[in-house]
Amino acid sequence: MLAIIGGTGLTRLANLEVSRRQGVRTPYGEPSAPLTFGAIHGVPVIFLARHGDAHTIPPHQVNYRANLWR
């Protein structure tokens, strides 16, 4: 499985076939957005929008520890 943490321009991956979205909690709080599970050309992937789904989280407020936990 491939994990992608995307920034500007990657919030909508053209070839991503989404199967589900799932919110998670970590010891550091919630990540920037729910995890998006799917596949790109048959390869399973998980995508996380680093600045939030609507790109509303500025760089100095991104919860990096939650985004990278596990």
Side-chain angles (χ1 to χ4, degrees):
M1 180 166 293
L2 177 66
I4 302 169
I5 299 175
T8 304
L10 284 180
T11 54
R12 292 184 191 95
L13 293 171
N15 298 320
L16 177 62
E17 299 172 19
V18 176
S19 59
R20 67 185 168 99
R21 290 174 47 89
Q22 179 179 335
V24 296
R25 297 241 348 122
T26 76
Y28 306 104
E30 295 180 0
S32 300
L35 301 177
T36 300
F37 291 80
I40 297 177
H41 299 293
V43 177
V45 298
I46 300 174
F47 177 75
L48 173 65
R50 181 177 58 222
H51 295 285
D53 283 334
H55 198 39
T56 57
I57 303 172
H60 68 283
Q61 291 184 342
V62 170
N63 188 346
Y64 292 101
R65 292 190 297 176
N67 285 356
L68 294 174
W69 183 73
R70 280 209 211 208

